[in-house]
Amino acid sequence: MKRTLRNLIAILVVLGLVGGLAAAQDYPWQPDRPITIIVPWSAGGSTDQVTRVIASELEGALGVAVVVVNQPGASGSIGTANALAADKDGYTWAAGAIRDVGTYVVLGMLDTKVEDWHPYFAVSNTSIIVVNPNTPYQTFDQLLAAFEANPGSITVSTAGLSSAGHTVMENIAQAAGLSYSHVPYDGGNPAVIATVAGEAQVNTQLAVEQAEMLRAGRLRPLAVYANKPLVLDGVGEIPPITNWMPDLVIPSNYFGIWAPVGIPDEVVETMNMVWENVMMDSEALRSYAAERGALFNPMYGDEAIAEAGPSISHQAWTLYDGGKAVISPADVGIERP
Amino acid sequence: MHRADLIIGIVLTLFGAVVVRESLVMPRFASIGADPVTAPGLVPGLLGGIIGLLGLLMAVRATLGLRAAASAAPTEASAPEDADDGTEPRYVVESPHAGRNRLATMLVAGLIFAGLAVGRLPFWLATFLFVFVTVALLEFQRYGRGRAVWQRLAVALVIAGGTAWAVVYVFESIFLVRLP
Amino acid sequence: MEGLGYFFNGILGFLDFTSLWDILWATLLGIIVGMLPGLTATLGVALLTTLTFGLPSDEAILILVCMYVGAIYGGSRSAILLNIPGTPANAATALDGNPLARHGEGGKAMGIATAGSVLGSFIGMIMLATIAPLLAEAALRFQSFEFFWLAVFGVVISGRLTALTDPLKGWIAGFLGLLVAMVGQEAIYSYPRFAYGDTNLAGGFGLLPVLVGLFGFAEVLSVMQQPLAAVIKTSADSVIPKVREVFRYWKTIIRSGVVGTLMGLIPGVGEDMGAWASYALARGASKEKEKFGKGSVEGLMAAEAGNNAAVPGAIIPVLTLAVPGSAPAAVLLAAMFIHGIRPGPLIMITNPSFVYEVTAMVFLASAAILLYGLLLTKPLLLVLRVPPSRLMPIILVLCTVGSFAIASRLFDVWVMLGFGVLGFILRMYGFPMAPLILGVVLGPILDSNLRRGLVLSEGSLVPFLTRPISLALWLGIALTVLLGVPPVQRLLARAFRRRKRDGTADAGS
């Protein structure tokens, strides 16, 4: 009976008749129409997945529909620009990785900085250095030795230039003085599959994209790109890369949603309360993170902006040193880490 | 038809050449150690070249008058659009300009509506005005005489009102799309 | 046999009031979404993912599968009635479906399309249930080299099939489509090609605005130019296709179902190629080749069976590899993750009943399609009775909203207008639109796979030519092109006649 009732409500929501039926708590902001979150990447990707979990939690807390709109293109800068240009009424948000928002400016794509936004983080994502199980590399130092013995010929699949996987591999290569053959794909999932299929030998994409293949034994984990070991359900403990490369600087890669500065104060207050009371205890988000190999890390306000800083400056300078940035990070006030 | 093919062929050849040129000047990222086979201009350049060649082929074919030969080739059927075999619906007899007039009406009204009005006017208003004006104009062209002006306007009014209401309701309330 | 048990349990599990109600409304909503130009399966599934969060996982996935199946089927309605494919997957449907409708056989055409869709879904479903894990491994054999050839193959085949008298124009349209897809940031260096500093251009032309322009706006303009038909004769024939007529083409249905499923299986290719590949094969094998493109029942059935079979096909790698076979399947995958279902290579071990539950969902959605196909056809035929001068302005409004709705960008509306005018001009001179849109779909695949393949082979072209699947694909392309060139055709015809004569001569002596 309960199921039927819930179902009926869902249908009514679908028909748009009872947008605000579910009672919202006494938040200072009572939205009266659907809220839009722009995902500036295509549907089904890592940003899209986590954003839909966030959207469901927000829906429950605020009592209105939260619609996820995919606006892919230009490395996420188009969707982000649209969120920035929208009416500052709190009904339009953008999602993604905060370090992308902070580095569009050096790529010459969008003139914005992290201080232009109210960020609300949900998880931080890490990468795992994995290899195809048919390759001979059993440990990370064997792989390092192989990179040194065959410069420029071991294939590494990533989601393209300046993607999470490429940044990780580029950092390892710069720190250890290696060279490798970079094989770019159209997204994290295709890159992971290429390593599973054996087209590329190594993959450094996000753990959320690798988790299922790791569990199935189709990929062999060598090290997690972090300074603490990662425990993944069904895989076990993966040692941190700092075991072999202790000097590596590894900033966290935060994912979440944000709205431009200028939205009404009561919206900010409400979202702060939602984050404090709902997101910090969200079972849905916590189990999503645990299953997918992400770190449950809700955070907002000044703390979030402060945490975003290192990952942005790290990313900006990696892009600049790689010849990808058109504006020097120094010119827009991003210090070298 | 040959002349149209010739002109289109020449236009395509030139277009292909421009695309090839634009592709050649794209950066190749050699400075960051990129493999030359991954240059962004590679595929557009190839495509531009192919389009240019096919265009040239079309132009040459048109000059030599080979189009007819192509149609008459064995095992080939006639084009789908020539499929009128007597079962076509019957047509209202109308002046030869009628089609052109309707086309012009729709093209101009459509461009003004979607290109200019949407985004400046509220969507329901833009839709209402566009549908009302277009349907009314087409109604006048359709029935040269014999129908009262108020009848034609009433038809347009009903259709325009219905469309504006239904589109806004369906998209905003059911599909949760924010209309411009 | 264990699987069969799971399957029937799955169906029985959905036979309560709530589930049946879900199936009915979700499939109907799917058909509506599919029918409206610009609203596609991807958009529909994504929208419902958000709205079904709170529901139990099996119910939510059921709703999404119904939406997906319904939308791919729904697109055939507008393709047949208005010559505007509701989703890109229905472009091949319009080739034969619309001529049938114009000849007053709209009811029959929709009945045939329904039969094709349902039977295609069933075949895909059987393959999903029986050989899912096996087929998924086969998808892994498609690597960069094969994807490149597959993209070329798609454009060449559809260019040939949509311009039978003059394949040159079909190919030009196809390559123009590939070039359209080049605009905007490319996948490797994110370099904005042909953008000239414009942020909107750097994002590229969206597939849907281009589709809605080429088929929607351009169609509206074409209709305006044609003499207005008084009222299109609505057929008195039954909307229920004659069983004999359907089963006359049983070979075509089975072939299309299998090919559609296989195309759905290949990541990123999906329903569009499912329809095209089965249409091409059906024409090749048909005894009535000359009817194709002019209202062939067989062609219509092949196209619809092909794109609907691709739905279960695209779900196979979602379940067994966690890799979507098409864009709507990608959203479905995301939804499964959100609901705590973990598709992937382990699913047959961790959750073996789920694969069969999904199969049962596809089955029930197909059953709903059959129901709606029978109920909705008569009312939909009324669309043909509305004079175009009153219908077309409304269609243009829908095109505008549809192209805006996808990403809420005004730029997309302008893209729709621009491609509408371009499409109208190209059509006037005999260029088909379908290869152009397939080119836009396949362009990014061709681009990044060619360059990636060259990185992997260190600049060598040899693997492109010698790997087994690649070899088959490029030979197929070469054959298609050669057979499309008139001098070769004449030569072949002559050689064929001579051999026949020689043959009789030999027999005589």
Side-chain angles (χ1 to χ4, degrees):
Chain A
M1 200 55 224
K2 198 179 160 218
R3 196 171 123 123
T4 318
L5 190 72
R6 222 156 56 153
N7 203 8
L8 268 175
I9 294 173
I11 293 159
L12 290 177
V13 169
V14 167
L15 295 176
L17 296 176
V18 283
L21 192 76
Q25 286 182 31
D26 289 330
Y27 290 118
W29 180 50
Q30 303 279 349
D32 55 4
R33 54 196 163 93
I35 296 169
T36 303
I37 304 181
I38 297 173
V39 168
W41 303 95
S42 49
S46 48
T47 304
D48 187 64
Q49 283 180 27
V50 72
T51 306
R52 285 177 193 274
V53 178
I54 298 173
S56 78
E57 293 288 333
L58 278 181
E59 224 163 55
L62 297 174
V64 290
V66 178
V67 185
V68 176
V69 177
N70 297 91
Q71 294 185 349
S75 300
S77 64
I78 291 182
T80 309
N82 286 343
L84 196 59
D87 287 344
K88 303 211 173 3
D89 52 9
Y91 286 94
T92 308
W93 293 70
I98 194 70
R99 69 174 190 202
D100 289 338
V101 175
T103 49
Y104 286 138
V105 56
V106 297
L107 292 171
M109 289 173 168
L110 178 62
D111 187 10
T112 185
K113 51 188 188 302
V114 68
E115 288 80 9
D116 297 342
W117 301 83
H118 289 288
Y120 292 85
F121 298 157
V123 295
S124 57
N125 277 325
T126 95
S127 292
I128 305 176
I129 294 99
V130 299
V131 294
N132 181 292
N134 295 328
T135 56
Y137 322 117
Q138 301 292 336
T139 60
F140 186 68
D141 49 351
Q142 286 177 7
L143 181 64
L144 276 182
F147 271 121
E148 270 156 26
N150 314 291
S153 71
I154 293 182
T155 46
V156 180
S157 63
T158 79
L161 207 75
S162 92
S163 66
H166 184 237
T167 311
V168 165
M169 196 57 223
E170 205 43 39
N171 285 340
I172 296 174
Q174 282 174 15
L178 313 165
S179 67
Y180 61 98
S181 168
H182 179 216
V183 193
Y185 289 80
D186 306 333
N189 278 329
V192 170
I193 293 301
T195 301
V196 172
E199 189 172 75
Q201 292 168 280
V202 184
N203 175 275
T204 50
Q205 275 298 315
L206 298 173
V208 286
E209 291 152 346
Q210 302 163 330
E212 286 314 309
M213 291 298 168
L214 282 168
R215 276 193 198 99
R218 305 297 297 266
L219 289 174
R220 182 187 297 139
L222 298 184
V224 59
Y225 192 72
N227 41 31
K228 289 187 296 261
L230 175 77
V231 181
L232 192 62
D233 290 354
V235 177
E237 192 178 289
I238 302 166
I241 192 169
T242 44
N243 285 4
W244 295 277
M245 303 176 73
D247 299 332
L248 220 49
V249 182
I250 301 163
S252 293
N253 185 5
Y254 290 99
F255 281 63
I257 62 168
W258 27 86
V261 165
I263 55 173
D265 287 341
E266 60 264 28
V267 175
V268 178
E269 237 170 89
T270 303
M271 290 299 277
N272 288 351
M273 285 163 76
V274 170
W275 237 253
E276 194 68 49
N277 304 330
V278 181
M279 289 299 171
M280 302 262 184
D281 312 308
S282 163
E283 250 338 287
L285 195 59
R286 197 183 288 277
S287 65
Y288 167 82
E291 272 174 21
R292 314 290 298 149
L295 301 171
F296 176 74
N297 232 336
M299 202 183 287
Y300 64 93
D302 295 340
E303 186 192 6
I305 291 193
E307 277 288 326
S311 71
I312 291 169
S313 62
H314 190 78
Q315 173 86 348
W317 284 97
T318 306
L319 288 170
Y320 183 71
D321 295 342
K324 184 70 181 44
V326 295
I327 297 169
S328 164
D331 295 347
V332 289
I334 301 176
E335 311 260 326
R336 191 177 271 278
Chain B
M1 210 53 204
H2 286 212
R3 223 178 61 147
D5 272 21
L6 179 66
I7 294 168
I8 295 176
I10 292 171
V11 169
L12 284 171
T13 312
L14 294 177
F15 175 68
V18 171
V19 171
V20 171
R21 198 200 145 261
E22 288 295 300
S23 306
L24 284 175
V25 299
M26 283 184 194
R28 288 167 208 181
F29 298 99
S31 57
I32 54 169
D35 201 323
V37 295
T38 63
L42 177 74
V43 176
L46 285 176
L47 292 174
I50 292 173
I51 290 172
L53 280 181
L54 293 178
L56 194 65
L57 200 64
M58 209 167 119
V60 170
R61 196 181 65 175
T63 344
L64 298 180
L66 284 179
R67 173 80 164 77
S71 311
T75 77
E76 284 305 324
S78 61
E81 54 270 23
D82 306 333
D84 306 3
D85 49 7
T87 48
E88 275 294 275
R90 95 200 130 78
Y91 291 118
V92 175
V93 183
E94 56 179 19
S95 81
H97 297 299
R100 213 183 306 152
N101 289 346
R102 270 195 307 270
L103 176 66
T105 309
M106 184 58 94
L107 188 64
V108 172
L111 290 178
I112 291 176
F113 162 66
L116 293 174
V118 170
R120 290 199 172 82
L121 296 178
F123 190 78
W124 64 268
L125 183 62
T127 303
F128 178 80
L129 290 177
F130 164 72
V131 178
F132 179 72
V133 170
T134 322
V135 172
L137 285 175
L138 291 174
E139 288 288 307
F140 279 104
Q141 291 174 22
R142 186 154 164 253
Y143 304 102
R145 59 190 65 160
R147 238 186 214 213
V149 172
W150 71 266
Q151 265 180 326
R152 307 175 197 212
L153 290 181
V155 167
L157 198 67
V158 168
I159 296 178
T163 310
W165 176 80
V167 165
V168 170
Y169 176 76
V170 168
F171 282 85
E172 288 211 313
S173 301
I174 298 184
F175 295 119
L176 301 178
V177 170
R178 248 189 242 172
L179 296 175
Chain C
M1 277 308 98
E2 191 187 2
L4 210 61
Y6 281 129
F7 173 68
F8 284 116
N9 273 339
I11 291 189
L12 288 178
F14 291 122
L15 287 184
D16 56 274
F17 172 75
T18 325
S19 306
L20 288 178
W21 171 237
D22 284 341
I23 293 166
L24 287 179
W25 71 257
T27 312
L28 182 61
L29 197 63
I31 294 176
I32 295 171
V33 164
M35 259 168 45
L36 295 175
L39 292 183
T40 60
T42 317
L43 185 84
V45 178
L47 191 76
L48 280 189
T49 304
T50 316
L51 294 174
T52 53
F53 262 129
L55 300 177
S57 63
D58 55 340
E59 205 181 322
I61 304 292
L62 173 69
I63 291 172
L64 298 182
V65 169
C66 288
M67 160 58 81
Y68 184 6
V69 174
I72 295 294
Y73 164 74
S76 70
R77 310 288 88 178
S78 47
I80 291 171
L81 292 174
L82 302 169
N83 202 20
I84 303 174
T87 73
N90 303 101
T93 309
L95 286 188
D96 283 308
N98 187 252
L100 276 174
R102 278 193 291 145
H103 290 194
E105 295 185 294
K108 180 179 164 190
M110 288 202 278
I112 294 288
T114 306
S117 297
V118 172
L119 294 170
S121 290
F122 280 173
I123 293 168
M125 190 188 80
I126 294 168
M127 290 175 78
L128 167 64
T130 48
I131 38 179
L134 236 114
L135 282 179
E137 289 301 308
L140 280 183
R141 301 185 60 109
F142 266 80
Q143 297 181 355
S144 301
F145 308 102
E146 286 78 19
F147 275 117
F148 165 73
W149 283 120
L150 195 68
V152 180
F153 189 64
V155 167
V156 169
I157 278 281
S158 113
R160 169 99 179 93
L161 286 178
T162 49
L164 289 173
T165 40
D166 196 358
L168 186 60
K169 285 185 176 167
W171 291 329
I172 290 177
F175 282 103
L176 281 176
L178 290 172
L179 194 63
V180 168
M182 293 299 118
V183 176
Q185 281 199 337
E186 42 85 46
I188 297 187
Y189 302 102
S190 310
Y191 171 73
R193 292 195 279 225
F194 306 112
Y196 306 104
D198 185 278
T199 323
N200 278 318
L201 279 177
F205 296 127
L207 169 64
L208 286 165
V210 174
L211 171 86
V212 174
L214 286 181
F215 284 98
F217 190 31
E219 179 71 22
V220 168
L221 294 177
S222 307
V223 169
M224 286 293 108
Q225 198 192 22
Q226 286 159 14
L228 291 180
V231 165
I232 293 183
K233 270 187 303 189
T234 311
S235 55
D237 63 340
S238 168
V239 295
I240 304 168
K242 294 185 194 72
V243 175
R244 199 150 31 97
E245 193 161 33
V246 172
F247 283 96
R248 217 175 101 204
Y249 300 115
W250 63 275
K251 273 190 205 154
T252 307
I253 294 172
I254 293 179
R255 186 186 331 99
S256 306
V258 172
V259 170
T261 315
L262 293 177
M263 282 294 152
L265 195 64
I266 299 166
V269 179
E271 294 86 15
D272 316 4
M273 276 297 279
W276 281 114
S278 60
Y279 185 80
L281 283 176
R283 182 174 178 272
S286 174
K287 294 189 192 96
E288 312 157 324
K289 281 192 189 52
E290 71 286 353
K291 281 196 189 164
F292 275 69
K294 290 190 289 182
S296 160
V297 169
E298 196 178 2
L300 175 60
M301 198 128 64
E304 273 302 297
N307 64 28
N308 269 78
V311 172
I315 296 178
I316 293 173
V318 165
L319 290 174
T320 53
L321 289 175
V323 180
S326 69
V331 188
L332 194 63
L333 173 69
M336 288 180 185
F337 277 128
I338 289 161
H339 283 284
I341 299 158
R342 298 202 308 228
L346 283 183
I347 194 142
M348 292 306 288
I349 301 152
T350 56
N351 199 354
S353 66
F354 186 66
V355 173
Y356 300 101
E357 272 167 36
V358 173
T359 315
M361 292 174 193
V362 176
F363 175 81
L364 292 167
S366 308
I369 279 182
L370 190 59
L371 180 74
Y372 285 125
L374 300 178
L375 290 181
L376 290 180
T377 305
K378 285 254 157 116
L380 278 177
L381 278 173
L382 295 178
V383 172
L384 290 179
R385 288 174 172 266
V386 181
S389 57
R390 294 179 190 167
L391 186 61
M392 289 303 142
I394 303 177
I395 301 277
L396 181 53
V397 170
L398 288 178
C399 291
T400 309
V401 189
S403 45
F404 179 81
I406 310 140
S408 311
R409 285 166 64 195
L410 272 179
F411 176 70
D412 286 336
V413 175
W414 305 331
V415 170
M416 185 274 291
L417 286 177
F419 276 89
V421 174
L422 178 76
F424 176 70
I425 296 169
L426 284 177
R427 259 182 199 208
M428 213 154 61
Y429 292 103
F431 289 88
M433 290 298 101
L436 216 161
I437 200 72
L438 194 66
V440 181
V441 174
L442 296 174
I445 297 181
L446 180 138
D447 176 39
S448 50
N449 283 294
L450 174 63
R451 294 191 288 154
R452 189 183 309 130
L454 287 171
V455 173
L456 289 165
S457 69
E458 292 170 357
S460 157
L461 286 173
V462 176
F464 281 96
L465 301 175
T466 55
R467 291 164 58 99
I469 301 178
S470 294
L471 182 74
L473 283 169
W474 77 256
L475 283 177
I477 295 166
L479 210 66
T480 313
V481 172
L482 278 180
L483 289 178
V485 180
V488 179
Q489 286 173 350
R490 278 196 296 276
L491 211 70
L492 273 180
R494 209 174 298 147
F496 188 65
R497 271 199 300 272
R498 187 176 305 144
R499 215 183 42 216
K500 219 162 143 194
R501 213 168 38 227
D502 291 353
T504 32
D506 285 349
S509 65

